[in-house]
């Protein structure tokens, strides 16, 4: 491309960039360069025609009373969200929670609901909002969380043969308990292809653990940006357990 | 806290709402929902759930109430949410269609459905000539075939008259990248609409 062409095209692009002042392309048609360059002339004509076509598209027709309807629906949606949370909490409360993860998750739910997140949780929410496009709970979240727990457990055992800290032991115990629960009812719920990560786990104990995580799975807020405010209410070890699952896909966007 | 966007009407309503003025949120929805609806329509075509998506956009605003801090004009913030939701919506649509194809559905179903969504033009331009309808349909279909980021960049530049720097904020990219997106979008359109463009030039 000749130097003149390049500068003409640069002028054309910047005219297209700021289309507010009158008809910017019009002024370009007097450009001297066009007298001797058929190519740039053709380009300008084609861009002008495209502008005409784009401008000829009818503006989208707005539904009547759009804003009023959106407002009304927003209010309903917020109420429905509250109701769903109430129902889930109630349902969860009816099940006897085993000591450990699920009980603390429920406590987390309650306190997340009772007090709006602040400070550090806010910062985490902001970071999450950046990352999350529309957050969706993947199918079988609970299973995948537990599969990760199992993997992590195997890894930790290799990395750290001696657990000095009680909290680490406690987290692993919770993971183990969860894995037991999953193992107990796995064949009935899951296709064989997904059992890969759990093959080494021993036989099961507690299926209620799974139900609690299922509660979470269905929990409206988990699909939303409030996930982090829930997480921030939990002890760090439990956060890790849940985050392992969420890294897997809950926050994918 | 002061910011350079305090003069933006959306930012002012947001601030007022944060300070407890519930009516300010209504004002926001009144003022911005038409713009969001129009953008979604241009971006996604005439699909049936656009109003749900507008609601979804404002639901995100509701949830951002406490932590919102203006770092751009309010419309930029809103368009960014709308873009993210739309892209997700498209991906969900593709996933649904893929599922349908696996179940023995028509492999062409997706493209024909997508185009059909861009087609409902007669309802929008009553009295327009049939010939004009065909042109509109063809232009919309060509826009619909653009990659998502190019499509949004072009729509925001063309119909919302957003400067490239702000489009960059909506798309999470640089001004320079936006420039090249718009360039490529126009190039594709000039190619796919070549026949129409020649008529237009004549
Ligand atoms: Zn030239």
């Amino acid at each position: 491309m000749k130097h003149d062409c390049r500068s003409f095209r640069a002028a054309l692009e910047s005219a297209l960039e700021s289309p507010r002042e009158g008809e910017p392309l019009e002024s370009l048609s007097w450009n001297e360069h066009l007298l001797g360059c058929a190519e740039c002339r053709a380009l300008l004509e084609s861009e002008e025609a495209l502008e005409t076509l784009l401008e000829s598209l009818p503006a989208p027709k707005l539904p009547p009373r759009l804003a009023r309807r959106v407002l009304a629906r927003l209010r309903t949606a917020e109420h429905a969200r509250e109701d769903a949370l109430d129902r889930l909490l109630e349902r969860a409360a009816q099940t006897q929670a085993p000591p450990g993860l699920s009980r603390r998750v429920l406590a987390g739910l309650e306190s997340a609901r009772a007090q709006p997140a602040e400070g550090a949780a806010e910062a985490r929410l902001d970071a999450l909002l950046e990352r999350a496009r529309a957050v969706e709970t993947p199918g079988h979240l609970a299973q995948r969380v537990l599969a990760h727990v199992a993997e992590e457990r195997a890894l930790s055992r290799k990395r750290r043969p001696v657990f000095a800290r009680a909290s680490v032991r406690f987290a692993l115990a919770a993971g183990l308990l969860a894995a037991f629960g999953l193992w107990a009812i796995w064949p009935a719920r899951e296709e064989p292809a997904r059992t890969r990560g759990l093959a080494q786990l021993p036989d099961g104990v507690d299926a209620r653990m799974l139900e609690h995580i299922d509660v979470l799975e269905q929990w409206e807020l988990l699909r939303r940006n409030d996930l982090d405010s829930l997480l921030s209410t939990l002890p760090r070890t439990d956060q890790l357990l849940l985050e392992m699952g969420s890294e897997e896909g809950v926050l994918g966007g | 806290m002061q910011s350079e966007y305090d003069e933006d009407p959306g930012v002012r309503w947001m601030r007022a709402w944060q300070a407890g003025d519930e009516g300010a949120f209504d004002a926001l929805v009144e003022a911005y929902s038409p713009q969001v609806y129009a953008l979604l329509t241009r971006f996604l075509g005439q699909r049936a759930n656009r109003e749900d998506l507008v609601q979804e956009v404002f639901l995100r605003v509701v949830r951002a109430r406490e932590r919102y801090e203006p770092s751009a004009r309010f419309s930029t913030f809103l368009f960014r949410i709308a873009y993210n939701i739309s892209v997700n919506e498209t991906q969900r649509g593709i996933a649904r269609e893929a599922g349908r194809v696996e179940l023995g559905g028509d492999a062409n179903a997706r493209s024909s459905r997508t185009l059909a969504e861009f087609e409902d033009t007669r309802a929008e331009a009553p009295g327009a000539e049939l010939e004009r309808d065909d042109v509109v349909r063809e232009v919309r279909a060509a826009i619909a075939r653009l990659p998502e980021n190019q499509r949004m960049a072009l729509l925001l530049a063309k119909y919302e008259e957003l400067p490239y720097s702000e489009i960059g904020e909506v798309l999470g990219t640089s001004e320079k990248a936006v420039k090249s997106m718009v360039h490529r979008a126009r190039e594709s359109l000039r190619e796919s609409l070549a026949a129409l463009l020649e008529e237009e030039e004549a």
Side-chain angles (χ1 to χ4, degrees):
Chain A
M1 209 189 293
K2 284 177 297 189
H3 169 72
D4 285 358
C5 290
R6 221 170 280 147
S7 66
F8 177 78
R9 282 166 201 222
L12 176 57
E13 282 207 7
S14 65
L16 287 168
E17 182 177 349
S18 46
R20 265 149 294 186
E21 296 87 35
E23 290 190 46
L25 295 189
E26 181 96 10
S27 61
L28 279 175
S29 60
W30 304 104
N31 194 300
E32 244 177 283
H33 172 69
L34 295 179
L35 294 174
C37 183
E39 256 178 65
C40 286
R41 215 158 48 224
L43 177 66
L44 177 62
E45 277 168 12
S46 160
E47 289 285 17
E48 278 175 331
L50 180 59
E51 280 294 278
T52 311
L53 275 188
L54 291 176
E55 271 154 29
S56 74
L57 287 188
K61 196 178 125 202
L62 296 176
R65 299 167 27 87
L66 172 69
R68 290 284 112 197
R69 284 219 303 274
V70 168
L71 277 169
R73 293 170 60 178
L74 279 173
R75 276 168 197 136
T76 319
E78 282 298 287
H79 287 144
R81 183 164 163 256
E82 289 290 305
D83 291 348
L85 187 50
D86 281 341
R87 275 199 306 278
L88 284 170
L89 285 172
E90 205 172 296
R91 193 186 122 190
Q94 282 162 6
T95 323
Q96 274 197 321
L101 176 63
S102 59
R103 179 176 291 164
R104 290 200 302 281
V105 166
L106 290 173
L109 286 177
E110 302 266 26
S111 72
R113 190 158 170 266
Q115 46 185 309
E118 279 171 10
E122 288 293 301
R124 286 161 59 78
L125 266 177
D126 278 332
L128 185 71
L129 193 68
E130 284 301 305
R131 266 157 54 209
R133 290 196 158 163
V135 180
E136 251 194 314
T137 310
H140 309 295
L141 170 66
Q143 283 87 342
R144 280 196 274 162
V145 169
L146 296 176
H148 274 271
V149 170
E151 275 170 30
E152 191 66 14
R153 188 168 59 92
L155 276 177
S156 307
R157 198 184 280 137
K158 275 183 211 151
R159 283 198 301 259
R160 307 207 282 174
V162 179
F163 301 118
R165 293 168 51 127
S167 62
V168 175
R169 250 181 276 129
F170 188 72
L172 292 180
L176 190 58
L177 193 68
F180 271 25
L182 177 61
W183 182 250
I185 64 165
W186 185 272
R189 294 175 58 98
E190 202 40 311
E191 59 276 89
R194 306 193 64 130
T195 59
R196 185 174 40 85
L198 296 153
Q200 322 89 320
L201 293 176
D203 284 350
V205 170
D206 197 347
R208 280 171 306 188
M209 174 66 80
L210 200 65
E211 184 172 342
H212 281 285
I213 297 182
D214 276 342
V215 168
L216 274 175
E217 201 169 331
Q218 290 165 30
W219 186 37
E220 170 72 8
L221 300 189
L222 242 188
R223 302 203 300 114
R224 307 288 178 192
N225 300 324
D226 307 60
L227 174 62
D228 256 16
S229 62
L230 162 65
L231 285 179
S232 68
T233 65
L234 299 176
R236 183 67 198 142
T237 45
D238 289 356
Q239 286 180 28
L240 284 173
L241 295 181
L242 284 171
E243 273 168 5
M244 278 184 265
S246 58
E247 302 276 286
E248 177 67 12
V250 191
L251 305 179
Chain B
M1 213 179 295
Q2 292 294 308
S3 91
E4 56 181 306
Y5 302 102
D6 283 349
E7 291 309 300
D8 182 82
V11 170
R12 278 156 72 171
W13 278 318
M14 229 19 219
R15 295 258 202 227
W17 183 45
Q18 284 179 318
D21 174 4
E22 297 297 324
F25 180 73
D26 292 25
L28 273 176
V29 177
E30 289 280 356
Y32 288 94
S33 58
Q35 236 177 325
V36 172
Y37 186 90
L39 182 67
L40 290 171
T41 303
R42 287 194 165 107
F43 186 74
L44 295 170
Q46 315 280 325
R47 68 181 68 178
N49 66 344
R50 282 165 293 164
E51 213 170 303
D52 296 337
L53 296 178
V54 175
Q55 183 193 339
E56 186 65 33
V57 169
F58 283 99
L59 207 50
R60 304 266 177 112
V61 176
V62 170
R63 290 184 186 153
R65 179 177 186 173
E66 303 298 327
R67 62 181 178 279
Y68 172 81
E69 267 300 325
S71 61
R73 288 198 288 162
F74 182 73
S75 55
T76 307
F77 168 71
L78 213 52
F79 291 158
R80 186 181 168 96
I81 300 176
Y83 176 65
N84 290 342
I85 286 176
S86 306
V87 167
N88 244 283
E89 174 69 13
T90 320
Q91 281 161 359
R92 262 205 297 274
I94 290 170
R96 268 198 303 272
E97 292 301 334
R100 212 170 295 169
V101 170
E102 262 170 44
L103 295 172
D106 180 0
N108 293 322
R110 189 190 142 219
S111 53
S112 57
R113 184 197 61 115
T114 309
L115 290 182
E117 282 165 352
F118 282 82
E119 271 179 6
D120 176 27
T121 58
R122 233 156 290 181
E124 298 218 331
E129 287 167 32
L130 214 61
E131 195 183 318
R132 199 67 215 164
D133 278 0
D134 288 342
V135 172
V136 166
R137 191 171 304 149
E138 206 175 316
V139 175
R140 282 186 174 155
I143 293 175
R145 284 191 297 265
L146 294 172
E148 283 161 346
N149 54 7
Q150 290 181 26
R151 196 192 322 156
M152 187 51 94
L154 180 84
L155 294 175
L156 289 174
K158 187 71 220 145
Y159 300 106
E160 302 297 333
E161 299 190 343
L162 242 59
Y164 288 177
S165 58
E166 281 184 39
I167 298 176
E169 281 175 51
V170 173
L171 300 180
T173 188
S174 69
E175 187 173 347
K176 203 175 151 208
V178 171
K179 192 170 176 165
S180 121
M181 282 174 199
V182 174
H183 180 84
R184 276 178 289 148
R186 295 188 71 100
E187 214 164 45
S188 311
L189 290 181
R190 281 189 283 110
E191 211 165 285
S192 59
L193 297 172
L196 273 183
L197 291 171
E198 269 170 40
E199 280 173 39
E200 201 68 44
E201 287 171 42

